Amino acid sequence: MIAIIDYGMGNLRSVQKGFEKVGHNAVVTSDKATIMDASHIVLPGVGAFPDCMRNLEEKGLLDIVPKVINSGRFFLGICLGLQLLFTESEEFGIHKGLDIIKGRVVRFNVGAYGHTPLHLKVPHMGWNTVAVKKRPSALEGTEEGSYFYFVHSYYVVPEDENVVATTTGYGVEFASSICKDNLFATQFHPEKSQEKGLRILKNFGDIKG
């Protein structure tokens, strides 16, 4: 069973529909027992980092992500669901994350002295390509230079570059997906990325223990 964690934020139904399109049943739930019973867990997210962390805490779900990852279940983070895995974010001040992956979440730095040229707008929104550094099961069939859909103003900077699965250029080359053991997470939205994104959802759902 695929459980999509419902903590009151995120495009939950579109993720669920994406799995359904590729033949996988997925349930949207905030019930801890249901999440812990699932073989595959998905943490989507849109919005602001501190709001998401607060919602996870208020719903009693702050400990569920580390538990399912440490238990070896297959885990997929999407967009903010990637960023929440990191040590801290600088969005609206410095805020602690789940600290599952060591590193920070930082903003695209636009301006005369920033790394992102002025003609590149923030948020980074629309289609962009990925360069494949590692190919976990979820990325099987993803060709170099494949296009995926992005909407974000912040990106992750892992301390360990070995967790980076793909990178994308937008003024700076940033980690657009990461993988570590049973964990895979993307900055882009597979559920909005048409055939290439749906292939990732299918690959993830197909993973066997």
Side-chain angles (χ1 to χ4, degrees), residues 40-100:
H40 297 63
I41 294 90
V42 184
L43 181 68
V46 294
F49 187 101
D51 293 339
C52 288
M53 286 296 293
R54 182 172 60 251
N55 278 26
L56 282 171
E57 183 173 13
E58 288 177 353
K59 288 182 174 289
L61 297 172
L62 205 55
D63 63 339
I64 202 75
V65 175
K67 278 184 179 179
V68 297
I69 291 174
N70 291 336
S71 71
R73 253 76 63 81
F74 302 111
F75 179 89
L76 172 64
I78 297 175
C79 196
L80 203 58
L82 159 70
Q83 296 180 8
L84 294 171
L85 302 175
F86 279 71
T87 307
E88 64 180 23
S89 171
E90 65 176 32
E91 187 172 3
F92 299 117
I94 302 299
H95 298 275
K96 290 183 178 179
L98 297 171
D99 199 27
I100 294 165

Side-chain angles (χ1 to χ4, degrees), residues 35-183:
I35 296 168
M36 291 302 296
D37 282 344
S39 58
H40 297 63
I41 294 90
V42 184
L43 181 68
V46 294
F49 187 101
D51 293 339
C52 288
M53 286 296 293
R54 182 172 60 251
N55 278 26
L56 282 171
E57 183 173 13
E58 288 177 353
K59 288 182 174 289
L61 297 172
L62 205 55
D63 63 339
I64 202 75
V65 175
K67 278 184 179 179
V68 297
I69 291 174
N70 291 336
S71 71
R73 253 76 63 81
F74 302 111
F75 179 89
L76 172 64
I78 297 175
C79 196
L80 203 58
L82 159 70
Q83 296 180 8
L84 294 171
L85 302 175
F86 279 71
T87 307
E88 64 180 23
S89 171
E90 65 176 32
E91 187 172 3
F92 299 117
I94 302 299
H95 298 275
K96 290 183 178 179
L98 297 171
D99 199 27
I100 294 165
I101 302 293
K102 299 295 182 183
R104 303 185 70 237
V105 182
V106 303
R107 194 176 195 275
F108 285 109
N109 186 9
V110 178
Y113 302 102
H115 55 61
T116 306
L118 286 168
H119 71 277
L120 296 178
K121 304 300 183 183
V122 176
H124 170 215
M125 182 182 298
W127 295 88
N128 207 338
T129 57
V130 301
V132 180
K133 307 299 182 184
K134 295 171 66 176
R135 197 178 295 279
S137 297
L139 285 179
E140 286 299 321
T142 298
E143 302 92 353
E144 185 77 11
S146 293
Y147 279 85
F148 293 94
Y149 189 80
F150 292 82
V151 184
H152 63 121
S153 300
Y154 294 79
Y155 62 93
V156 299
V157 182
E159 289 183 7
D160 181 5
E161 292 185 0
N162 290 322
V163 303
V164 177
T166 65
T167 61
T168 295
Y170 194 72
V172 61
E173 186 178 18
F174 66 91
S176 50
S177 69
I178 64 165
C179 62
K180 184 178 181 183
D181 302 325
N182 53 310
L183 178 158

Side-chain angles (χ1 to χ4, degrees), residues 1-5 19 24-27 34-35 37-43 68 73-76 201-209:
M1 184 184 71
I2 299 172
I4 301 170
I5 299 176
F19 279 111
H24 287 297
N25 291 323
V27 59
T34 303
I35 296 168
D37 282 344
S39 58
H40 297 63
I41 294 90
V42 184
L43 181 68
V68 297
R73 253 76 63 81
F74 302 111
F75 179 89
L76 172 64
L201 296 184
K202 185 178 189 310
N203 286 345
F204 175 74
D206 284 345
I207 298 173
K208 305 295 185 200

